[in-house]
Amino acid sequence: MTTWEKIKYEYAKGGSAIRQIIMINLGVFVFTILVGVVATLGGFKPSELLEYFYTPSNLGKLLIRPWTIVTSVFFHSGFWHILGNMILLYFIGRVLEDFMESGKVWRIFLYGGIAGAALFVFSFNVFPVFEEVKSYKKLLGASGGVTAIIAATGVYLPRYVVRPFGLFNVEMRWIAL
């Protein structure tokens, strides 16, 4: 079995949405690293290419790059950024996935990411405090989708008890809050 066949098998195994989301995020993270290497060797900045995947706060740029509302959900700014998001997604998302079908978990994640991007763009274009930076700020990361998974778990399973680090019991509604 080739490496690509193994990856395809792992992606489809069990139909786990959380596993699929994590694998896509990790794949995109590796892609980002490769773009960085190629860009550096080619003599240009990786951000010049990668900015076409990040949601811009500038409405003019967003109108010519509407796909970024979805693609930015899978890009991360660094190792600690992706690690934090994927750990939260893994531990909380597995709980939700035990009680909900994978398709719904995928929709919650994607709609949460899109809602996060919409809130980002709205905030930067409505609140005067962002006036000086709205022309160049950009959004990336799965935090909106992960937050939606956490909130959905807290709403769908409010009395479900988890034991963070084996130290104490806490209900999901308090984690979501």
Side-chain angles (χ1 to χ4, degrees):
M1 185 180 273
T2 67
T3 304
W4 181 245
E5 289 171 333
K6 289 178 187 176
I7 291 171
K8 283 175 37 180
Y9 171 76
E10 281 297 317
Y11 179 79
K13 187 166 91 177
S16 168
I18 298 302
R19 179 187 298 250
Q20 292 169 351
I21 293 166
I22 290 172
M23 288 182 69
I24 289 170
N25 274 276
L26 291 175
V28 170
F29 188 68
V30 169
F31 168 76
T32 303
I33 292 168
L34 293 175
V35 166
V37 169
V38 170
T40 303
L41 292 173
F44 62 94
K45 295 179 184 176
S47 60
E48 292 173 359
L49 174 63
L50 293 172
E51 74 178 20
Y52 290 94
F53 297 104
Y54 306 157
T55 302
S57 58
N58 181 299
L59 282 175
K61 284 184 184 176
L62 182 61
L63 286 174
I64 60 172
R65 300 179 193 161
W67 62 86
T68 61
I69 291 174
V70 175
T71 58
S72 66
V73 174
F74 299 101
F75 283 81
H76 290 81
S77 62
F79 175 76
W80 296 110
H81 187 202
I82 193 169
L83 181 67
N85 274 331
M86 295 305 103
I87 286 174
L88 275 173
L89 180 63
Y90 179 76
F91 286 111
I92 304 297
R94 282 183 39 216
V95 171
L96 183 63
E97 197 168 45
D98 283 344
F99 295 91
M100 189 177 284
E101 62 188 54
S102 290
K104 288 182 181 177
V105 173
W106 256 110
R107 283 191 292 280
I108 291 168
F109 177 79
L110 285 175
Y111 293 160
I114 292 168
L119 182 61
F120 168 79
V121 172
F122 174 82
S123 297
F124 271 79
N125 287 281
V126 169
F127 298 116
V129 70
F130 298 121
E131 190 62 39
E132 291 181 26
V133 295
K134 80 175 180 182
S135 64
Y136 63 88
K137 286 294 184 179
K138 51 194 158 287
L139 174 74
L140 65 154
S143 299
V146 172
T147 301
I149 294 288
I150 293 169
T153 306
V155 169
Y156 193 69
L157 303 164
R159 301 262 183 215
Y160 188 90
V161 175
V162 294
R163 216 170 145 74
F165 308 109
L167 299 175
F168 53 90
N169 292 338
V170 62
E171 292 179 347
M172 276 307 305
R173 62 186 172 152
W174 302 119
I175 292 174
L177 184 65

